[in-house]
Amino acid sequence: MARQREEKRKKRHPLLKFLSFIFILALGVACGCCVGVYLTRNNVFELIGEKTIEIKVGEQYEDEGVKVIAFGKEVSKDKIKVESNVDSSTAGEYQIVYTVSNLRYWDTQRVRDVKVVANSSGDTGNGNEQGGGEDTGNTGNENQGGENTGNENQGGGNQGETPDVEVVEGNDIKIHFLELGKNTEDGFRGSKNTGDCVFIQCGDNDILIDAGSAYASSTVIIDYLDKYITDNTLEYVIATHAHEDHISAFSSTKTREGVFAHYKTETIIDFPLTNSTTKVYSNYVAARDAEVEEGAKHYTALECYNNQNGAKRVYALTKTIELEILYNYYYENKTSNENNYSVCVMINHGGNHYLFTGDLEEEGEDMLVDYYEEHHGGLPHCSLFKAGHHGSGTANGSKLLETITPDIVCICCCAGTSEYTAVNDNQFPYQEVINRVAKYTDKVYVTSVVDMEDAKRKNIVSMNGDIVVSSNGEDITVKGSNNDTLLKDTEWFKERRTCPDEWKEVA
């Protein structure tokens, strides 16, 4: 018997050795993956400067390149492949493509769009500009004499595209969700990229939350605001976080006047923390600080929440309307995700509440819900919610939505754009976000959409257009400069999205 057991043991021995080898190999791979994740946690691959550039024919553009950090070290320029088809002598749309091949990024690319536009005189080759060569930012509408007033709109421009909005008085409020690129009689103006800009009229107060999506958007924003701001003053400016699609249009360039330069600002509230080292961010800081030198007060959102240094958690706008700066865990805790630094704002209007969370991601939203549940009795039901992160599935989480149960959701994005991904369901607004929101409301509105008739899907047109939400504290109305169509009833939605069961029931 002992001999038989020994023979059986010897027969099993090769199998045990093989299984042991497989176990050790798997353990090694797992350890390697963990080490790789740890070493690459702070990797960066981002454009330096604007994502979208607009220059005139004959004007030279000096590319700022990209910033690449892998395994804690900056990648040398010789390992970054740059391909460009830009021809500044001919009007058209071009691209600069950056490709990095290494262990972290494989063949990941970043793309910068360059638009070369003809001069107003019709000259497509010599680059000579009227009025001393100063671009006012209105493509095809040069301001003679070179002085940029910020609201020049010769030939009508986009006049008439904005819904009629009277001066807001008393305790009424109007919240405008701006399109940041527009098709006008003079061609496309602004940026084709997704971004945020929300303008709020309340009593004698004009409030601006963010100014994206690119430097080129500043003219569109200023032209829009000038229709409603009568004293050239923004009482409050809130910059949610340091991404280009939220802050770029605050600062000026050689060819465009920024929002800070155009308006007097009384109070600026922005993010306490950032990881950003981009030129867009440094330009924002310079423009903000210049405004402070002119007399503006500057506070971080954390100072506001803590009622420190003259800042206030709650600003009384009228007798019944308050601007409340909410607490965010990431105001005082570092994160690798810049979006989570977003300033969060609630407008309280009698029994109505309007929530703005910038690009706060789901983990930040969950902490927001938990914090207010523990310390303030919970977040209230919200009549209006500006969808987080342009309708991304990484935000707009179930926990937040089931807490605020929104009645109306407005999404600032270019629906269906391939700016970030070619995967249909993950283009703004995500299918999964639509599924989550559908449990609470079908009143979803979107500013812009890709042109479905454009085979390349590069052109941007209005979906609802500039969206204006108005309220007297009780009734709420929604008006779009293009139409008032609900997202679920648009052609884009019917072609590119699956209708949730909840929306089928109310169709």
Side-chain angles (χ1 to χ4, degrees), residues 199-273:
F199 172 54
I200 302 172
Q201 295 174 282
C202 176
D204 295 328
N205 297 286
D206 293 310
I207 304 162
L208 192 67
I209 303 177
D210 285 335
S213 62
Y215 292 121
S217 305
S218 62
T219 308
V220 174
I221 294 171
I222 290 170
D223 283 355
Y224 188 95
L225 268 57
D226 274 351
K227 301 177 192 298
Y228 307 111
I229 298 177
T230 58
D231 59 358
N232 205 51
T233 300
L234 287 166
E235 276 70 28
Y236 299 92
V237 164
I238 299 170
T240 60
H241 63 292
H243 276 157
E244 175 184 6
D245 58 325
H246 290 256
I247 62 169
S248 54
F250 281 122
S251 55
S252 302
T253 69
K254 292 180 180 178
T255 57
R256 281 185 178 81
E257 185 181 37
V259 170
F260 276 144
H262 187 80
Y263 298 104
K264 175 186 176 182
T265 305
E266 293 188 351
T267 301
I268 302 170
I269 301 169
D270 60 13
F271 39 95
L273 296 177

Side-chain angles (χ1 to χ4, degrees), residues 169-193:
E169 298 178 351
N171 292 311
D172 291 355
I173 191 170
K174 291 186 184 290
I175 303 172
H176 308 242
F177 300 87
L178 274 63
E179 276 197 291
L180 299 173
K182 294 177 181 288
N183 289 289
T184 72
E185 293 177 359
D186 302 300
F188 188 86
R189 299 172 64 237
S191 170
K192 293 183 179 181
N193 293 332

Side-chain angles (χ1 to χ4, degrees), residues 487-498:
L487 174 63
K488 68 183 178 67
D489 296 326
T490 64
E491 290 303 315
W492 177 85
F493 181 86
K494 294 174 182 178
E495 180 177 326
R496 303 291 292 278
R497 291 291 178 263
T498 301

Side-chain angles (χ1 to χ4, degrees), residues 305 327 366-379 399 403:
Y305 181 78
Y327 180 75
D366 290 351
M367 290 184 183
L368 179 69
V369 171
D370 290 342
Y371 182 87
Y372 275 81
E373 183 67 34
E374 180 179 354
H375 298 281
H376 298 285
L379 292 171
K399 189 170 186 175
T403 300

Side-chain angles (χ1 to χ4, degrees), residues 387 390-391 408-416 427-431 433-435 437-438 441-449 463-464 467 478 483-500 503:
H390 318 292
I408 299 168
V409 176
C410 292
I411 306 177
C412 295
C413 76
C414 300
Q427 293 171 349
F428 300 139
Y430 281 31
Q431 178 68 54
V433 170
I434 290 170
N435 295 342
V437 169
T441 184
D442 67 336
K443 295 178 176 61
V444 179
Y445 302 88
V446 175
T447 51
S448 305
V449 63
M463 184 173 278
N464 293 121
I467 304 167
V478 181
N483 57 57
D484 310 328
T485 307
L486 299 177
L487 174 63
K488 68 183 178 67
D489 296 326
T490 64
E491 290 303 315
W492 177 85
F493 181 86
K494 294 174 182 178
E495 180 177 326
R496 303 291 292 278
R497 291 291 178 263
T498 301
C499 188
W503 286 1

Side-chain angles (χ1 to χ4, degrees), residues 26-40:
L27 184 62
V29 170
C31 291
C33 290
C34 290
V35 172
V37 170
Y38 176 78
L39 292 175
T40 61

Side-chain angles (χ1 to χ4, degrees), residues 53-59 85-95 114-120 122-127 139-140 186 192:
I53 303 295
E54 185 175 304
I55 60 175
K56 290 186 175 295
V57 168
E59 181 181 344
N85 65 349
V86 178
D87 179 4
S88 60
S89 65
T90 305
E93 295 185 2
Y94 305 94
Q95 288 188 329
V114 180
K115 183 177 182 181
V116 180
V117 298
N119 298 302
S120 60
D123 185 355
T124 60
N126 61 19
T139 307
D186 302 300
K192 293 183 179 181

Side-chain angles (χ1 to χ4, degrees), residues 396-409:
N396 309 286
S398 297
K399 189 170 186 175
L400 176 64
L401 291 172
E402 69 185 16
T403 300
I404 65 172
T405 59
D407 293 330
I408 299 168
V409 176

